[in-house]
Amino acid sequence: MPGPLDGLRVLDLSSVVVGPVCTGVLAEQGAEVIKLESPEGDLLRKLGGKGRSPGMAGKFLNFNRGKRSLCLDLKHPRAKAVLARIAARCDILVTNIRPDAQKRLGVDAATMAETLPRLIHCSIVGFGTTGPYAGKPAYDTVIQGVSGVAGCFEASTGEPRYVPMLIADHVCGLIAAQQIGFALYRREKTGRGESLEIPMFENMAAFVLQEHLGPMSFRPALGPPGDQRVLSPEARPLKTADGFIAVSANTDAQAHGFFRAIGRPELVEDPRFSRVAARTQHTKDYFAIRATALVGRPTAEWLEIFGQHDVPAMPYNTIESLLTDPHLLATGLVREEEHPTEGPTFAIAAPNRLSGGMAPALPAAQRLGANGRDVLAEAGLDPDEIEELARTGALGETT
């Protein structure tokens, strides 16, 4: 069965992580994605760590499955006309090029809408274009710092830190794909495309405020901000005799089950811990009990005990152990495959399922410009035109 976006074509002018996350989701759902790269290639081809071939870093492979690579120098005098012919066949354009650069290249929403009224133009920006930060450059860590994500660590441990993954890029890339879905639905009703602006700062700041504004939501404030259950430095995997375990007991039934499981049934009647509101008020004491309660037994025993008491608990995984997690192997999220140019690799499948049908497994990420001639031919360029673009350097190809 085809995916729900089968038949849609995406022109991907994005790079690094946030845009490729968005277009990767669209590809997973069946859209054809044409990844247009500069002659230097997506920065992630080199920034993503080691690879077997130049420009084919492992991280790049994971974010760019299922995309066709076209290498086109948009600064070349003939490139704009070629880009227009490709865009005319597309339903969606995704870019994280800064707005002023979009205008210089002629790929901004207003310019594209003049000739392509059905195009959905999605611009992922660091900061909304109506505010004083508009146009400033932004990477994930910049957004984590300015949006309060790093500040959450300071509130928790006293030291500002970044989440050790590109969480702002991931979240905002997924939001961009979601908003594109909304725009596609409206286009079905109106027949017209539209421009979308996805600001990373505003989106991540909204997450932080929704999570932690709490008592400061009221005017006047009822107390300082911060959900102490989440900010507690003890909100982490719990030590066992042979490793760690992930446990969460939030409802009264779960917390009471936890107390009985660790051999402390008297805590069920303790007024500090008997009810949700009381445990929230005494989070520090509650988490202090949890922090040392499991060191006497190995993880496997605790998983069995917590299962008997219906307490949510799962094994703790490292990055490496995810590759052998039995559930991920059974559901097919992680599999081994032979990359056509890079040899044996791990592949990450689409994690979500739609009962109406799923797109086939995505092909591997491509070398820079590997599909350029095919893409141009499908856009109506004849072989002589394509050869001229290659000869003059407008079309790039990996040898």
Side-chain angles (χ1 to χ4, degrees):
M1 293 288 290
L5 299 185
D6 181 59
L8 294 178
R9 188 174 289 113
V10 180
L11 179 55
D12 182 1
L13 303 183
S14 71
S15 61
V16 193
V17 174
V18 63
V21 166
C22 171
T23 56
V25 171
L26 302 180
E28 283 178 350
Q29 300 305 326
E32 175 191 343
V33 177
I34 300 168
K35 182 177 178 68
L36 194 155
E37 301 180 64
S38 70
E40 294 77 26
D42 186 332
L43 180 63
L44 199 62
R45 286 184 179 274
K46 302 180 181 70
L47 192 66
K50 290 183 178 180
R52 291 195 177 105
S53 303
M56 294 295 280
K59 195 165 184 175
F60 177 85
L61 301 185
N62 292 331
F63 282 105
N64 290 282
R65 297 179 60 82
K67 303 173 188 180
R68 307 171 74 193
S69 178
L70 165 66
C71 179
L72 192 65
D73 184 357
L74 293 181
K75 298 176 183 178
H76 192 280
R78 295 190 59 188
K80 283 188 179 181
V82 175
L83 176 62
R85 293 172 73 171
I86 298 169
R89 303 179 65 246
C90 293
D91 300 276
I92 303 158
L93 183 148
V94 177
T95 181
N96 60 349
I97 301 171
R98 281 193 274 177
D100 56 347
Q102 290 183 40
K103 291 180 181 179
R104 288 197 302 270
L105 295 171
V107 297
D108 57 292
T111 300
M112 302 297 281
E114 290 175 2
T115 55
L116 301 172
R118 283 181 54 83
L119 182 71
I120 293 169
H121 184 286
C122 179
S123 178
I124 305 172
V125 296
F127 308 93
T129 54
T130 59
Y133 300 164
K136 288 185 176 293
Y139 282 109
D140 179 275
T141 49
V142 172
I143 297 299
Q144 286 198 47
V146 71
S147 68
V149 172
C152 290
F153 282 92
E154 183 180 15
S156 174
T157 66
E159 180 184 10
R161 294 292 300 271
Y162 298 129
V163 177
M165 61 180 293
L166 303 185
I167 193 69
D169 279 349
H170 278 271
V171 168
C172 295
L174 293 173
I175 290 170
Q178 174 199 58
Q179 297 299 311
I180 288 169
F182 296 157
L184 284 170
Y185 178 68
R186 182 149 60 192
R187 192 179 76 171
E188 286 298 303
K189 296 189 292 184
T190 66
R192 296 190 62 83
E194 59 186 288
S195 62
L196 314 177
E197 181 176 282
I198 313 298
M200 297 178 68
F201 173 42
E202 286 91 322
N203 272 293
M204 295 308 295
F207 273 104
V208 171
L209 292 171
Q210 288 164 353
E211 186 80 33
H212 288 298
L213 193 58
M216 280 193 68
S217 302
F218 304 94
R219 309 306 300 156
L222 302 182
D227 183 338
Q228 296 307 311
R229 299 173 307 110
V230 179
L231 293 176
S232 169
E234 296 301 333
R236 55 186 173 183
L238 302 181
K239 187 77 175 69
T240 67
D242 61 350
F244 295 90
I245 189 172
V247 181
S248 187
N250 291 324
T251 70
D252 288 339
Q254 292 164 355
H256 296 173
F258 179 83
F259 293 144
R260 294 186 178 102
I262 65 173
R264 298 287 304 277
E266 75 279 5
L267 296 177
V268 172
E269 303 302 328
D270 190 312
R272 298 173 298 165
F273 310 126
S274 59
R275 294 290 181 263
V276 172
R279 289 192 301 278
T280 300
Q281 187 176 353
H282 296 91
T283 293
K284 185 175 181 179
D285 294 336
Y286 178 37
F287 278 16
I289 292 170
R290 293 172 12 130
T292 58
L294 308 184
V295 294
R297 296 175 184 265
T299 298
E301 286 188 27
W302 282 121
L303 288 171
E304 184 176 352
I305 293 169
F306 288 140
Q308 295 168 357
H309 289 271
D310 200 26
V311 176
M314 289 300 294
Y316 163 79
N317 269 324
T318 63
I319 299 169
E320 294 85 353
S321 66
L322 282 173
L323 297 175
T324 56
D325 183 282
H327 183 88
L328 297 184
L329 293 175
T331 58
L333 182 75
V334 180
R335 67 179 188 276
E336 294 184 39
E337 71 174 19
E338 188 76 16
H339 190 285
T341 63
E342 307 310 305
T345 63
F346 284 107
I348 304 166
N352 305 302
R353 296 289 180 268
L354 283 76
S355 65
M358 293 293 297
L362 294 177
Q366 300 291 298
R367 290 195 177 189
L368 179 62
N371 313 106
R373 289 179 178 255
D374 291 340
V375 170
L376 295 181
E378 292 162 10
L381 279 75
D382 62 42
D384 290 340
E385 289 179 293
I386 296 172
E387 193 60 44
E388 178 68 9
L389 290 170
R391 186 187 67 79
T392 59
L395 175 67
E397 300 176 286
T398 299
T399 57

